[in-house]
Amino acid sequence: KNATGAWLYVLDYALRYEIRGGLAAEGMDYGTEQLGAVAQFLFALNTAGQDNPAQYGAQVVLRAAPFWNDVLTAYLASSAPAPKQTRTGARYYPLATYGDTRDLSAQSVIELFAPLALYYARNDDAARAATARWIAQNLQAPSPNNFQSPRKTIFSFLLFDPAIQQLPDPRPLIPRAYLAPGVGRIFARTDWSADAAWLTYKLGWNTIEHQHGDANQIEFFRRGEWLTKERAGQGASIGSSDYHNTVTVENTKPTTINKPAQEENYKRGSQWFYNSNGDGILHTYSFGDGYTYILGDSSTLYDSNVLQSTDIVHVSRALVWLQPDFLIVYDRADTGTKGRFKRFWLNTPTRAEITGNRATVTTAQGQHLFVTTLLPLNAAITSESAEPLPDQVARDEPMEFRLRVQAPLDQTSVRFLHVLQGADAGARPASLTLIESKDDTKYSGVVVGTIAILFREQEFTPFSSVTYTVPANTTAHLVTGLRPNGDYDVKIQNVNDKIQVTITNGGTSRADSGGVLLIGKLK
């Protein structure tokens, strides 16, 4: 009764609300193991005939919780488009990790998906059983280390009947974009081929063990390899925000530091692990035809009343993925005091070459990642080796360098604007033009080739109007920061061989569900 009526009762609430969407708060390593223990218990109740909701409550019925169906989609959405081979030649699809991670290839997915597959097969759900079996077979690198426990060996024996033929890949049947709202995890991709481009994003809450300072984290995968991703691992240093492709902001030094993690968080300008003032807020997002838009506020994760470190006024990130190759990232970072550092970070597989405001990363396969800093002006851009951190870095982690962009220290309010471009070997960076409006509702943005992307400088103030000018060859505009599904009037005119656009409230042009107004056509 303790197991079903107390612990499982509380956990069932968490599955429905706090981590809804099929992913654990602790990530793909510890979280998968812990979800597996719960799935095994629910399977045991079912086989013993004890999953009776009239006697114990709905929490004892696996099929009664939407979470367990979402697990299948969430893990498929978390898998890389292209397979990877182990040193022994075995093939598997790596998972996009988060949270404490010990080994990138040794996620214990069989602990979770074997009991799910066996449960669904036992309860006449052949489609879900086949999906769970495919995940157990393909999303974990085959290794003797994965089968050192009798439980894993028994599950393998039960799951992989030699009479069952190779199952088809179920991933093309799920949407190309997926949100796990409980942990604020978003995945979007162009398609399910090995050459696909893939964006991952994370913005959740941070209160328990094994979580990292990864709010507003971005990762970009293209043509079979990561161009940039988190530096995975386990520990206070690697868990801090500078290893998670987000921004760090210097805060007031805590009056008392009681834990090593607090010292690491403070000196790096990281989000706090356990003592922050609140959760990250995923304000809005939209999956459009040819683009993805995300707006997330991580302000309260940087401040801590408990530690008396509260100089952070605002930190948020808005981004547009212009599929397949351009990621435009707009960061806001405000402090109450001058002289506080504000830094933008990206982890990279090789050292970037810096020329002016552009960093160029060349991967092992010859691809390029061009990173152009448009704002702030006069930023200090450097590329450096990642710290060794031998006891913290996950096995097989490919990110060995990092790019740092630091704003001038004399500013309390900073706006970072970066364009990340993935490109084939030998390609050149696209033409970029900075846009800055001068109206009451101030916008900044960039024209990428012939497409303009604009962000509001103050996202959370009322919109009145905006006027901006772009080159004459601009063919489409993505204007963010508007009211979801709001109606607007758009006036376009030629002025001095350029295009001037004015947007006001009301009219016949409608923003999408994320507050993005598309003018013209992207394709």
Side-chain angles (χ1 to χ4, degrees), residues 4-314:
T4 59
W7 302 317
L8 188 58
Y9 180 82
V10 172
L11 182 59
D12 182 71
Y13 182 91
L15 297 178
R16 294 174 186 274
Y17 300 101
E18 306 302 338
I19 58 171
R20 68 191 185 279
L23 293 176
E26 302 92 333
M28 308 307 278
D29 191 344
Y30 288 91
T32 302
E33 289 183 353
Q34 292 161 3
L35 290 177
V38 182
Q40 292 163 34
F41 177 52
L42 291 170
F43 180 45
L45 288 174
N46 179 253
T47 59
Q50 296 297 310
D51 56 345
N52 182 353
Q55 184 175 3
Y56 296 115
Q59 67 271 13
V60 302
V61 183
L62 187 148
R63 285 186 295 182
F67 181 88
W68 299 108
N69 292 333
D70 290 339
V71 161
L72 303 178
T73 305
Y75 273 74
L76 293 175
S78 300
S79 63
K84 184 177 180 180
Q85 283 194 332
T86 66
R87 297 179 182 89
T88 61
R91 195 183 80 153
Y92 72 104
Y93 293 92
L95 290 168
T97 59
Y98 60 98
D100 277 348
T101 305
R102 295 162 288 190
D103 188 329
L104 290 180
S105 65
Q107 315 302 315
S108 296
V109 297
I110 197 166
E111 297 255 25
L112 170 57
F113 290 97
L116 290 179
L118 296 168
Y119 177 93
Y120 287 126
R122 174 182 169 84
N123 290 276
D124 301 321
D125 194 335
R128 288 194 174 96
T131 298
R133 184 179 282 109
W134 189 92
I135 292 172
Q137 191 172 38
N138 291 279
L139 301 192
Q140 175 175 284
S143 167
N145 295 331
N146 293 332
F147 303 104
Q148 291 179 342
S149 74
R151 183 175 62 255
K152 293 179 181 179
T153 304
I154 291 170
F155 273 138
S156 292
F157 176 79
L158 293 173
L159 190 61
F160 300 124
D161 184 339
I164 297 177
Q165 299 297 316
Q166 178 68 34
L167 296 168
D169 186 343
R171 297 179 301 170
L173 299 178
I174 70 170
R176 293 194 300 270
Y178 182 76
L179 165 67
V183 297
R185 194 81 161 123
I186 289 178
F187 303 101
R189 66 187 75 212
T190 54
D191 56 75
W192 291 96
S193 72
D195 286 335
W198 183 34
L199 167 70
T200 90
Y201 170 87
K202 185 173 185 295
L203 175 62
W205 49 272
N206 191 341
T207 312
I208 61 174
E209 193 177 9
H210 303 308
Q211 293 182 312
H212 287 184
D214 56 6
N216 277 321
Q217 173 181 292
I218 54 172
E219 299 174 308
F220 190 31
F221 185 99
R222 183 184 186 274
R223 293 190 182 276
E225 60 183 343
W226 289 109
L227 302 188
T228 182
K229 65 180 288 293
E230 69 161 6
R231 194 172 190 224
Q234 175 175 280
S237 300
I238 204 165
S240 293
S241 300
D242 49 322
Y243 282 110
H244 292 279
N245 286 359
T246 186
V247 298
T248 59
V249 187
E250 184 180 4
N251 209 332
T252 306
K253 186 172 183 178
T255 54
T256 302
I257 294 178
N258 297 318
K259 299 178 180 179
Q262 294 171 348
E263 177 65 30
E264 289 296 317
N265 290 168
Y266 163 67
K267 74 179 184 181
R268 295 169 183 271
S270 175
Q271 303 150 22
W272 298 104
F273 286 178
Y274 305 114
N275 302 290
S276 65
N277 281 356
D279 301 334
I281 302 172
L282 179 58
H283 278 285
T284 188
Y285 63 93
S286 57
F287 304 132
D289 185 10
Y291 70 91
T292 296
Y293 170 68
I294 303 171
L295 170 63
D297 187 343
S298 54
S299 303
T300 53
L301 289 163
Y302 289 86
D303 272 338
S304 173
N305 290 334
V306 172
L307 298 174
Q308 298 182 25
S309 182
T310 57
D311 195 50
I312 308 304
V313 176
H314 179 80

Side-chain angles (χ1 to χ4, degrees), residues 382-417:
T382 56
S383 180
E384 60 191 52
S385 297
E387 299 164 279
L389 304 176
D391 298 327
Q392 298 187 36
V393 181
R395 183 184 179 196
D396 292 333
E397 171 54 56
M399 297 295 116
E400 298 182 356
F401 297 86
R402 53 189 191 163
L403 181 70
R404 176 175 65 180
V405 179
Q406 178 161 312
L409 292 175
D410 61 348
Q411 302 175 16
T412 58
S413 182
V414 168
R415 298 296 179 265
F416 292 98
L417 177 60

